[in-house]
């Protein structure tokens, strides 16, 4: 008998990437419900078995893409929470929105994120995933707020969790407007936030 050739981890990762990218293109073009696994298989240019080996169902593909849609933002927030010295809150928000802006293109993950929100209304497992991730984002904003309190930017007696929830809401509030209406641009939006908060404009 001949030995079965071993497949490298790099090959497996590349094949998985190929399938996820194909699924994302299909979902952006047709939406979750109008896209079938056969559509993804055709888009990827792979065999049925090759695709199902990695993703047994369309829901598995949706979950993988949802994970990608939020992972980059989580990394940015974690980096901001470690920044020394602590950044002013509006500057931290500016850096988050700067990252978000890179994901707003026609093939950006944020257009998928809006579909994920809708799908989460009917899929309890996806809803739990979204709730977990977004709760984590709020917690990271909470770290930023607590550091702002320690730095004297905010009064010590303010509720950091309440402020964190409001700050977090500013992120999807902006990119949803951008996707649905085309505006406002990031600088205009941040100017409005600074005016509301009474913050000093950045140069």
């Amino acid at each position: 008998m001949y030995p079965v050739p071993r497949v490298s981890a790099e090959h497996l990762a590349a094949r998985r990437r190929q399938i996820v990218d194909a699924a994302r293109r299909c979902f952006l073009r047709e939406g979750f419900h109008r896209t079938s696994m056969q559509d993804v298989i055709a888009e990827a240019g792979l065999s049925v078995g090759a695709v199902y080996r990695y993703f047994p169902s369309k829901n598995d593909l949706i979950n993988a893409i949802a994970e990608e849609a939020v992972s980059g933002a989580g990394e940015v927030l974690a980096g901001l929470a470690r920044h020394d010295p602590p950044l002013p809150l509006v500057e931290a928000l500016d850096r988050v929105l700067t990252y978000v802006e890179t994901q707003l293109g026609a093939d950006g993950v944020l257009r998928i994120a809006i579909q994920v929100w809708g799908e989460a209304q009917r899929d309890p497992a996806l809803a739990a995933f979204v709730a977990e991730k977004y709760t984590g984002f709020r917690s990271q904003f909470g770290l930023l707020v607590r550091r702002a309190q320690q730095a004297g930017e905010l009064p010590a007696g303010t509720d950091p969790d309440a402020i964190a929830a409001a700050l977090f809401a500013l992120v999807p509030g902006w990119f949803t407007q951008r996707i649905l209406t085309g505006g406002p641009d990031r600088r205009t939006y941040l100017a409005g936030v600074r005016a509301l908060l009474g913050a000093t404009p950045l140069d």
Side-chain angles (χ1 to χ4, degrees):
M1 294 182 63
Y2 294 100
V4 176
R6 305 180 96 183
V7 179
S8 69
E10 291 80 7
H11 174 83
L12 294 173
R15 184 56 55 85
R16 185 181 190 279
R17 174 81 268 153
Q18 182 180 352
I19 298 167
V20 170
D21 287 345
R24 188 180 71 248
R25 291 193 297 271
C26 289
F27 292 151
L28 284 168
R29 190 165 58 237
E30 299 293 342
F32 287 153
H33 290 289
R34 293 183 61 184
T35 297
S36 68
M37 285 297 286
Q38 289 300 321
D39 293 328
V40 175
I41 291 164
E43 183 77 19
L46 298 171
S47 68
V48 172
V51 172
Y52 278 99
R53 175 183 180 185
Y54 293 87
F55 299 100
S57 72
K58 189 166 72 172
N59 278 355
D60 293 312
L61 275 168
I62 292 171
N63 289 339
I65 291 174
E67 178 71 49
E68 289 191 355
V70 299
S71 61
E75 291 172 7
V76 171
L77 281 168
L80 291 173
R82 294 190 301 266
H83 196 279
D84 191 23
L87 292 171
L89 288 176
V90 176
E91 185 176 343
L93 179 63
D94 187 9
R95 295 197 183 191
V96 173
L97 296 186
T98 297
Y99 166 76
V100 166
E101 198 164 32
T102 68
Q103 304 300 314
L104 280 173
D107 60 348
V109 296
L110 292 177
R111 294 179 184 274
I112 289 287
I114 292 180
Q115 292 192 54
V116 168
W117 296 345
E119 191 69 13
Q121 305 308 302
R122 56 166 293 278
D123 183 340
L126 187 59
F129 167 84
V130 171
E132 177 188 1
K133 293 298 183 181
Y134 281 23
T135 299
F137 288 166
R138 279 205 309 263
S139 296
Q140 288 174 312
F141 272 106
L143 293 175
L144 295 176
V145 171
R146 287 174 174 83
R147 295 191 73 194
Q149 287 178 312
Q150 294 167 2
E153 182 182 356
L154 294 172
T158 53
D159 181 347
D161 293 329
I163 296 173
L167 278 174
F168 170 56
L170 292 172
V171 178
W174 177 63
F175 76 69
T176 302
Q177 290 186 72
R178 279 291 302 272
I179 290 172
L180 296 179
T181 72
D185 61 71
R186 179 173 53 87
R187 291 182 65 85
T188 299
Y189 187 73
L190 284 167
V193 172
R194 292 189 185 98
L196 284 172
L197 299 181
T200 302
L202 294 176
D203 294 333

